[in-house]
PDB file of all heavy atoms in Angstrom:
ATOM      1  N   ASP A  11      63.734  84.468  -2.684  1.00 98.00           N
ATOM      2  CA  ASP A  11      64.888  85.365  -2.742  1.00 98.00           C
ATOM      3  C   ASP A  11      66.101  84.721  -3.395  1.00 98.00           C
ATOM      4  O   ASP A  11      67.232  85.193  -3.223  1.00 98.00           O
ATOM      5  CB  ASP A  11      65.257  85.838  -1.334  1.00 98.00           C
ATOM      6  CG  ASP A  11      64.209  86.763  -0.731  1.00 98.00           C
ATOM      7  OD1 ASP A  11      63.481  87.411  -1.509  1.00 98.00           O
ATOM      8  OD2 ASP A  11      64.113  86.827   0.503  1.00 98.00           O
ATOM      9  N   ASP A  12      65.888  83.649  -4.137  1.00 98.00           N
ATOM     10  CA  ASP A  12      66.982  83.014  -4.877  1.00 98.00           C
ATOM     11  C   ASP A  12      67.381  83.945  -6.019  1.00 98.00           C
ATOM     12  O   ASP A  12      66.665  84.083  -7.010  1.00 98.00           O
ATOM     13  CB  ASP A  12      66.528  81.651  -5.418  1.00 98.00           C
ATOM     14  CG  ASP A  12      67.640  80.868  -6.092  1.00 98.00           C
ATOM     15  OD1 ASP A  12      68.465  81.485  -6.799  1.00 98.00           O
ATOM     16  OD2 ASP A  12      67.667  79.636  -5.930  1.00 98.00           O
ATOM     17  N   PHE A  13      68.520  84.588  -5.874  1.00 98.00           N
ATOM     18  CA  PHE A  13      68.952  85.599  -6.834  1.00 98.00           C
ATOM     19  C   PHE A  13      69.087  85.024  -8.240  1.00 98.00           C
ATOM     20  O   PHE A  13      68.552  85.574  -9.213  1.00 98.00           O
ATOM     21  CB  PHE A  13      70.278  86.208  -6.383  1.00 98.00           C
ATOM     22  CG  PHE A  13      70.912  87.094  -7.412  1.00 98.00           C
ATOM     23  CD1 PHE A  13      70.474  88.393  -7.588  1.00 98.00           C
ATOM     24  CD2 PHE A  13      71.932  86.619  -8.224  1.00 98.00           C
ATOM     25  CE1 PHE A  13      71.038  89.217  -8.549  1.00 98.00           C
ATOM     26  CE2 PHE A  13      72.510  87.431  -9.183  1.00 98.00           C
ATOM     27  CZ  PHE A  13      72.059  88.730  -9.356  1.00 98.00           C
ATOM     28  N   ASP A  14      69.824  83.943  -8.384  1.00 97.00           N
ATOM     29  CA  ASP A  14      70.082  83.381  -9.716  1.00 97.00           C
ATOM     30  C   ASP A  14      68.795  82.923 -10.394  1.00 97.00           C
ATOM     31  O   ASP A  14      68.645  83.070 -11.615  1.00 97.00           O
ATOM     32  CB  ASP A  14      71.066  82.215  -9.620  1.00 97.00           C
ATOM     33  CG  ASP A  14      72.469  82.677  -9.259  1.00 97.00           C
ATOM     34  OD1 ASP A  14      72.874  83.749  -9.750  1.00 97.00           O
ATOM     35  OD2 ASP A  14      73.155  81.985  -8.483  1.00 97.00           O
ATOM     36  N   ALA A  15      67.867  82.380  -9.608  1.00 98.00           N
ATOM     37  CA  ALA A  15      66.594  81.950 -10.193  1.00 98.00           C
ATOM     38  C   ALA A  15      65.797  83.145 -10.695  1.00 98.00           C
ATOM     39  O   ALA A  15      65.184  83.095 -11.768  1.00 98.00           O
ATOM     40  CB  ALA A  15      65.787  81.163  -9.159  1.00 98.00           C
ATOM     41  N   ASN A  16      65.793  84.239  -9.938  1.00 98.00           N
ATOM     42  CA  ASN A  16      65.098  85.454 -10.372  1.00 98.00           C
ATOM     43  C   ASN A  16      65.687  85.997 -11.669  1.00 98.00           C
ATOM     44  O   ASN A  16      64.952  86.358 -12.598  1.00 98.00           O
ATOM     45  CB  ASN A  16      65.162  86.527  -9.273  1.00 98.00           C
ATOM     46  CG  ASN A  16      64.081  86.372  -8.225  1.00 98.00           C
ATOM     47  OD1 ASN A  16      62.930  86.727  -8.451  1.00 98.00           O
ATOM     48  ND2 ASN A  16      64.448  85.829  -7.073  1.00 98.00           N
ATOM     49  N   VAL A  17      67.016  86.064 -11.740  1.00 98.00           N
ATOM     50  CA  VAL A  17      67.661  86.607 -12.933  1.00 98.00           C
ATOM     51  C   VAL A  17      67.411  85.717 -14.145  1.00 98.00           C
ATOM     52  O   VAL A  17      67.040  86.198 -15.228  1.00 98.00           O
ATOM     53  CB  VAL A  17      69.180  86.767 -12.702  1.00 98.00           C
ATOM     54  CG1 VAL A  17      69.881  87.136 -14.014  1.00 98.00           C
ATOM     55  CG2 VAL A  17      69.439  87.846 -11.671  1.00 98.00           C
ATOM     56  N   THR A  18      67.606  84.421 -13.983  1.00 97.00           N
ATOM     57  CA  THR A  18      67.483  83.510 -15.126  1.00 97.00           C
ATOM     58  C   THR A  18      66.053  83.438 -15.622  1.00 97.00           C
ATOM     59  O   THR A  18      65.803  83.512 -16.840  1.00 97.00           O
ATOM     60  CB  THR A  18      67.984  82.105 -14.750  1.00 97.00           C
ATOM     61  OG1 THR A  18      69.295  82.203 -14.175  1.00 97.00           O
ATOM     62  CG2 THR A  18      68.049  81.205 -15.977  1.00 97.00           C
ATOM     63  N   LEU A  19      65.083  83.317 -14.709  1.00 98.00           N
ATOM     64  CA  LEU A  19      63.692  83.261 -15.139  1.00 98.00           C
ATOM     65  C   LEU A  19      63.254  84.616 -15.692  1.00 98.00           C
ATOM     66  O   LEU A  19      62.462  84.676 -16.649  1.00 98.00           O
ATOM     67  CB  LEU A  19      62.789  82.840 -13.978  1.00 98.00           C
ATOM     68  CG  LEU A  19      61.318  82.589 -14.332  1.00 98.00           C
ATOM     69  CD1 LEU A  19      61.180  81.565 -15.457  1.00 98.00           C
ATOM     70  CD2 LEU A  19      60.538  82.133 -13.104  1.00 98.00           C
ATOM     71  N   GLY A  20      63.780  85.696 -15.141  1.00 98.00           N
ATOM     72  CA  GLY A  20      63.477  87.016 -15.684  1.00 98.00           C
ATOM     73  C   GLY A  20      63.934  87.145 -17.125  1.00 98.00           C
ATOM     74  O   GLY A  20      63.218  87.706 -17.975  1.00 98.00           O
ATOM     75  N   ALA A  21      65.121  86.629 -17.430  1.00 97.00           N
ATOM     76  CA  ALA A  21      65.625  86.673 -18.804  1.00 97.00           C
ATOM     77  C   ALA A  21      64.755  85.830 -19.739  1.00 97.00           C
ATOM     78  O   ALA A  21      64.481  86.215 -20.886  1.00 97.00           O
ATOM     79  CB  ALA A  21      67.063  86.181 -18.841  1.00 97.00           C
ATOM     80  N   ILE A  22      64.283  84.685 -19.239  1.00 97.00           N
ATOM     81  CA  ILE A  22      63.400  83.839 -20.050  1.00 97.00           C
ATOM     82  C   ILE A  22      62.082  84.553 -20.308  1.00 97.00           C
ATOM     83  O   ILE A  22      61.578  84.570 -21.447  1.00 97.00           O
ATOM     84  CB  ILE A  22      63.165  82.487 -19.348  1.00 97.00           C
ATOM     85  CG1 ILE A  22      64.454  81.655 -19.346  1.00 97.00           C
ATOM     86  CG2 ILE A  22      62.037  81.707 -20.044  1.00 97.00           C
ATOM     87  CD1 ILE A  22      64.354  80.366 -18.550  1.00 97.00           C
ATOM     88  N   ARG A  23      61.508  85.147 -19.280  1.00 97.00           N
ATOM     89  CA  ARG A  23      60.237  85.862 -19.453  1.00 97.00           C
ATOM     90  C   ARG A  23      60.403  87.006 -20.469  1.00 97.00           C
ATOM     91  O   ARG A  23      59.505  87.267 -21.284  1.00 97.00           O
ATOM     92  CB  ARG A  23      59.777  86.432 -18.110  1.00 97.00           C
ATOM     93  CG  ARG A  23      59.382  85.381 -17.081  1.00 97.00           C
ATOM     94  CD  ARG A  23      58.151  84.635 -17.499  1.00 97.00           C
ATOM     95  NE  ARG A  23      57.630  83.791 -16.441  1.00 97.00           N
ATOM     96  CZ  ARG A  23      57.252  82.536 -16.612  1.00 97.00           C
ATOM     97  NH1 ARG A  23      57.336  81.989 -17.827  1.00 97.00           N
ATOM     98  NH2 ARG A  23      56.771  81.833 -15.619  1.00 97.00           N
ATOM     99  N   ASN A  24      61.530  87.679 -20.424  1.00 97.00           N
ATOM    100  CA  ASN A  24      61.783  88.749 -21.378  1.00 97.00           C
ATOM    101  C   ASN A  24      61.837  88.202 -22.808  1.00 97.00           C
ATOM    102  O   ASN A  24      61.279  88.802 -23.729  1.00 97.00           O
ATOM    103  CB  ASN A  24      63.094  89.460 -21.040  1.00 97.00           C
ATOM    104  CG  ASN A  24      63.327  90.683 -21.902  1.00 97.00           C
ATOM    105  OD1 ASN A  24      62.392  91.321 -22.373  1.00 97.00           O
ATOM    106  ND2 ASN A  24      64.590  91.023 -22.116  1.00 97.00           N
ATOM    107  N   SER A  25      62.502  87.066 -22.970  1.00 95.00           N
ATOM    108  CA  SER A  25      62.594  86.477 -24.312  1.00 95.00           C
ATOM    109  C   SER A  25      61.233  86.017 -24.824  1.00 95.00           C
ATOM    110  O   SER A  25      61.006  85.941 -26.033  1.00 95.00           O
ATOM    111  CB  SER A  25      63.571  85.295 -24.307  1.00 95.00           C
ATOM    112  OG  SER A  25      63.060  84.212 -23.549  1.00 95.00           O
ATOM    113  N   GLU A  26      60.313  85.733 -23.889  1.00 96.00           N
ATOM    114  CA  GLU A  26      58.952  85.341 -24.254  1.00 96.00           C
ATOM    115  C   GLU A  26      58.023  86.555 -24.389  1.00 96.00           C
ATOM    116  O   GLU A  26      56.823  86.390 -24.624  1.00 96.00           O
ATOM    117  CB  GLU A  26      58.386  84.384 -23.195  1.00 96.00           C
ATOM    118  CG  GLU A  26      59.135  83.057 -23.096  1.00 96.00           C
ATOM    119  CD  GLU A  26      58.693  82.216 -21.905  1.00 96.00           C
ATOM    120  OE1 GLU A  26      58.155  82.797 -20.925  1.00 96.00           O
ATOM    121  OE2 GLU A  26      58.890  80.994 -21.954  1.00 96.00           O
ATOM    122  N   ARG A  27      58.574  87.748 -24.225  1.00 96.00           N
ATOM    123  CA  ARG A  27      57.835  89.014 -24.292  1.00 96.00           C
ATOM    124  C   ARG A  27      56.828  89.186 -23.157  1.00 96.00           C
ATOM    125  O   ARG A  27      55.894  89.981 -23.261  1.00 96.00           O
ATOM    126  CB  ARG A  27      57.131  89.192 -25.648  1.00 96.00           C
ATOM    127  CG  ARG A  27      58.020  88.976 -26.851  1.00 96.00           C
ATOM    128  CD  ARG A  27      59.258  89.852 -26.801  1.00 96.00           C
ATOM    129  NE  ARG A  27      58.943  91.269 -26.880  1.00 96.00           N
ATOM    130  CZ  ARG A  27      59.819  92.250 -26.641  1.00 96.00           C
ATOM    131  NH1 ARG A  27      61.056  91.955 -26.252  1.00 96.00           N
ATOM    132  NH2 ARG A  27      59.453  93.519 -26.757  1.00 96.00           N
ATOM    133  N   ASP A  28      57.037  88.445 -22.079  1.00 97.00           N
ATOM    134  CA  ASP A  28      56.254  88.674 -20.867  1.00 97.00           C
ATOM    135  C   ASP A  28      56.994  89.739 -20.070  1.00 97.00           C
ATOM    136  O   ASP A  28      57.708  89.451 -19.093  1.00 97.00           O
ATOM    137  CB  ASP A  28      56.116  87.372 -20.068  1.00 97.00           C
ATOM    138  CG  ASP A  28      55.381  87.562 -18.741  1.00 97.00           C
ATOM    139  OD1 ASP A  28      54.863  88.687 -18.492  1.00 97.00           O
ATOM    140  OD2 ASP A  28      55.345  86.601 -17.937  1.00 97.00           O
ATOM    141  N   LEU A  29      56.847  90.996 -20.488  1.00 97.00           N
ATOM    142  CA  LEU A  29      57.657  92.069 -19.921  1.00 97.00           C
ATOM    143  C   LEU A  29      57.302  92.362 -18.473  1.00 97.00           C
ATOM    144  O   LEU A  29      58.186  92.663 -17.657  1.00 97.00           O
ATOM    145  CB  LEU A  29      57.514  93.331 -20.778  1.00 97.00           C
ATOM    146  CG  LEU A  29      57.954  93.195 -22.239  1.00 97.00           C
ATOM    147  CD1 LEU A  29      57.806  94.528 -22.957  1.00 97.00           C
ATOM    148  CD2 LEU A  29      59.369  92.671 -22.351  1.00 97.00           C
ATOM    149  N   ALA A  30      56.033  92.284 -18.141  1.00 97.00           N
ATOM    150  CA  ALA A  30      55.625  92.540 -16.756  1.00 97.00           C
ATOM    151  C   ALA A  30      56.204  91.479 -15.828  1.00 97.00           C
ATOM    152  O   ALA A  30      56.711  91.797 -14.738  1.00 97.00           O
ATOM    153  CB  ALA A  30      54.107  92.581 -16.655  1.00 97.00           C
ATOM    154  N   GLY A  31      56.113  90.220 -16.262  1.00 98.00           N
ATOM    155  CA  GLY A  31      56.673  89.136 -15.447  1.00 98.00           C
ATOM    156  C   GLY A  31      58.178  89.252 -15.307  1.00 98.00           C
ATOM    157  O   GLY A  31      58.741  89.054 -14.226  1.00 98.00           O
ATOM    158  N   ALA A  32      58.835  89.588 -16.414  1.00 98.00           N
ATOM    159  CA  ALA A  32      60.288  89.744 -16.384  1.00 98.00           C
ATOM    160  C   ALA A  32      60.681  90.905 -15.476  1.00 98.00           C
ATOM    161  O   ALA A  32      61.635  90.801 -14.686  1.00 98.00           O
ATOM    162  CB  ALA A  32      60.812  89.971 -17.799  1.00 98.00           C
ATOM    163  N   ARG A  33      59.955  92.012 -15.583  1.00 98.00           N
ATOM    164  CA  ARG A  33      60.290  93.203 -14.793  1.00 98.00           C
ATOM    165  C   ARG A  33      60.182  92.919 -13.294  1.00 98.00           C
ATOM    166  O   ARG A  33      61.051  93.330 -12.495  1.00 98.00           O
ATOM    167  CB  ARG A  33      59.359  94.352 -15.191  1.00 98.00           C
ATOM    168  CG  ARG A  33      59.607  95.656 -14.454  1.00 98.00           C
ATOM    169  CD  ARG A  33      60.954  96.272 -14.842  1.00 98.00           C
ATOM    170  NE  ARG A  33      61.207  97.517 -14.138  1.00 98.00           N
ATOM    171  CZ  ARG A  33      60.907  98.723 -14.620  1.00 98.00           C
ATOM    172  NH1 ARG A  33      60.346  98.847 -15.825  1.00 98.00           N
ATOM    173  NH2 ARG A  33      61.183  99.809 -13.930  1.00 98.00           N
ATOM    174  N   LYS A  34      59.147  92.219 -12.905  1.00 98.00           N
ATOM    175  CA  LYS A  34      58.963  91.898 -11.489  1.00 98.00           C
ATOM    176  C   LYS A  34      60.131  91.074 -10.968  1.00 98.00           C
ATOM    177  O   LYS A  34      60.682  91.345  -9.888  1.00 98.00           O
ATOM    178  CB  LYS A  34      57.645  91.142 -11.297  1.00 98.00           C
ATOM    179  CG  LYS A  34      57.350  90.770  -9.852  1.00 98.00           C
ATOM    180  CD  LYS A  34      56.022  90.040  -9.732  1.00 98.00           C
ATOM    181  CE  LYS A  34      55.745  89.651  -8.281  1.00 98.00           C
ATOM    182  NZ  LYS A  34      54.456  88.917  -8.148  1.00 98.00           N
ATOM    183  N   LEU A  35      60.533  90.069 -11.716  1.00 98.00           N
ATOM    184  CA  LEU A  35      61.626  89.197 -11.293  1.00 98.00           C
ATOM    185  C   LEU A  35      62.956  89.947 -11.246  1.00 98.00           C
ATOM    186  O   LEU A  35      63.732  89.819 -10.287  1.00 98.00           O
ATOM    187  CB  LEU A  35      61.739  88.002 -12.240  1.00 98.00           C
ATOM    188  CG  LEU A  35      60.596  86.980 -12.168  1.00 98.00           C
ATOM    189  CD1 LEU A  35      60.555  86.127 -13.423  1.00 98.00           C
ATOM    190  CD2 LEU A  35      60.744  86.101 -10.927  1.00 98.00           C
ATOM    191  N   LEU A  36      63.214  90.755 -12.253  1.00 98.00           N
ATOM    192  CA  LEU A  36      64.507  91.431 -12.337  1.00 98.00           C
ATOM    193  C   LEU A  36      64.599  92.614 -11.381  1.00 98.00           C
ATOM    194  O   LEU A  36      65.685  92.906 -10.857  1.00 98.00           O
ATOM    195  CB  LEU A  36      64.775  91.856 -13.776  1.00 98.00           C
ATOM    196  CG  LEU A  36      64.980  90.671 -14.723  1.00 98.00           C
ATOM    197  CD1 LEU A  36      64.937  91.114 -16.177  1.00 98.00           C
ATOM    198  CD2 LEU A  36      66.302  89.969 -14.413  1.00 98.00           C
ATOM    199  N   ASP A  37      63.478  93.285 -11.144  1.00 98.00           N
ATOM    200  CA  ASP A  37      63.472  94.327 -10.110  1.00 98.00           C
ATOM    201  C   ASP A  37      63.857  93.719  -8.758  1.00 98.00           C
ATOM    202  O   ASP A  37      64.639  94.305  -7.993  1.00 98.00           O
ATOM    203  CB  ASP A  37      62.087  94.974 -10.002  1.00 98.00           C
ATOM    204  CG  ASP A  37      61.899  96.117 -10.994  1.00 98.00           C
ATOM    205  OD1 ASP A  37      62.909  96.701 -11.439  1.00 98.00           O
ATOM    206  OD2 ASP A  37      60.733  96.421 -11.322  1.00 98.00           O
ATOM    207  N   HIS A  38      63.297  92.550  -8.483  1.00 98.00           N
ATOM    208  CA  HIS A  38      63.598  91.893  -7.211  1.00 98.00           C
ATOM    209  C   HIS A  38      65.063  91.460  -7.163  1.00 98.00           C
ATOM    210  O   HIS A  38      65.727  91.596  -6.118  1.00 98.00           O
ATOM    211  CB  HIS A  38      62.683  90.683  -7.017  1.00 98.00           C
ATOM    212  CG  HIS A  38      62.792  90.060  -5.659  1.00 98.00           C
ATOM    213  ND1 HIS A  38      62.708  90.789  -4.491  1.00 98.00           N
ATOM    214  CD2 HIS A  38      62.992  88.773  -5.274  1.00 98.00           C
ATOM    215  CE1 HIS A  38      62.834  89.982  -3.451  1.00 98.00           C
ATOM    216  NE2 HIS A  38      63.026  88.757  -3.892  1.00 98.00           N
ATOM    217  N   ALA A  39      65.586  90.974  -8.279  1.00 98.00           N
ATOM    218  CA  ALA A  39      66.990  90.563  -8.317  1.00 98.00           C
ATOM    219  C   ALA A  39      67.915  91.741  -8.022  1.00 98.00           C
ATOM    220  O   ALA A  39      68.894  91.607  -7.272  1.00 98.00           O
ATOM    221  CB  ALA A  39      67.322  89.952  -9.677  1.00 98.00           C
ATOM    222  N   VAL A  40      67.617  92.897  -8.603  1.00 97.00           N
ATOM    223  CA  VAL A  40      68.448  94.079  -8.360  1.00 97.00           C
ATOM    224  C   VAL A  40      68.323  94.538  -6.910  1.00 97.00           C
ATOM    225  O   VAL A  40      69.291  95.019  -6.314  1.00 97.00           O
ATOM    226  CB  VAL A  40      68.082  95.211  -9.342  1.00 97.00           C
ATOM    227  CG1 VAL A  40      68.764  96.519  -8.959  1.00 97.00           C
ATOM    228  CG2 VAL A  40      68.469  94.814 -10.764  1.00 97.00           C
ATOM    229  N   GLN A  41      67.152  94.387  -6.321  1.00 98.00           N
ATOM    230  CA  GLN A  41      66.994  94.714  -4.903  1.00 98.00           C
ATOM    231  C   GLN A  41      67.846  93.784  -4.041  1.00 98.00           C
ATOM    232  O   GLN A  41      68.428  94.216  -3.043  1.00 98.00           O
ATOM    233  CB  GLN A  41      65.519  94.599  -4.495  1.00 98.00           C
ATOM    234  CG  GLN A  41      64.633  95.705  -5.062  1.00 98.00           C
ATOM    235  CD  GLN A  41      63.161  95.462  -4.769  1.00 98.00           C
ATOM    236  OE1 GLN A  41      62.789  94.447  -4.173  1.00 98.00           O
ATOM    237  NE2 GLN A  41      62.319  96.395  -5.167  1.00 98.00           N
ATOM    238  N   LEU A  42      67.906  92.511  -4.447  1.00 98.00           N
ATOM    239  CA  LEU A  42      68.691  91.549  -3.684  1.00 98.00           C
ATOM    240  C   LEU A  42      70.180  91.837  -3.799  1.00 98.00           C
ATOM    241  O   LEU A  42      70.925  91.745  -2.820  1.00 98.00           O
ATOM    242  CB  LEU A  42      68.404  90.118  -4.171  1.00 98.00           C
ATOM    243  CG  LEU A  42      67.015  89.560  -3.876  1.00 98.00           C
ATOM    244  CD1 LEU A  42      66.789  88.258  -4.637  1.00 98.00           C
ATOM    245  CD2 LEU A  42      66.849  89.324  -2.369  1.00 98.00           C
TER     246      LEU A  42
END
């Protein structure tokens, strides 16, 4: 539940075009 880690890694996954991985992380960040 580390908010900043979810957001930052989500942005990295997005830049790598791992959209599913990014979406999971960022959905969780917004829930937090």
Side-chain angles (χ1 to χ4, degrees):
D11 292 335
D12 185 321
F13 171 80
D14 290 322
N16 276 282
V17 172
T18 308
L19 187 55
I22 291 174
R23 293 293 190 226
N24 187 28
S25 68
E26 296 171 337
R27 310 305 295 169
D28 176 7
L29 300 182
R33 181 68 180 266
K34 181 179 179 181
L35 290 161
L36 293 167
D37 274 337
H38 188 50
V40 170
Q41 289 173 358
L42 291 169

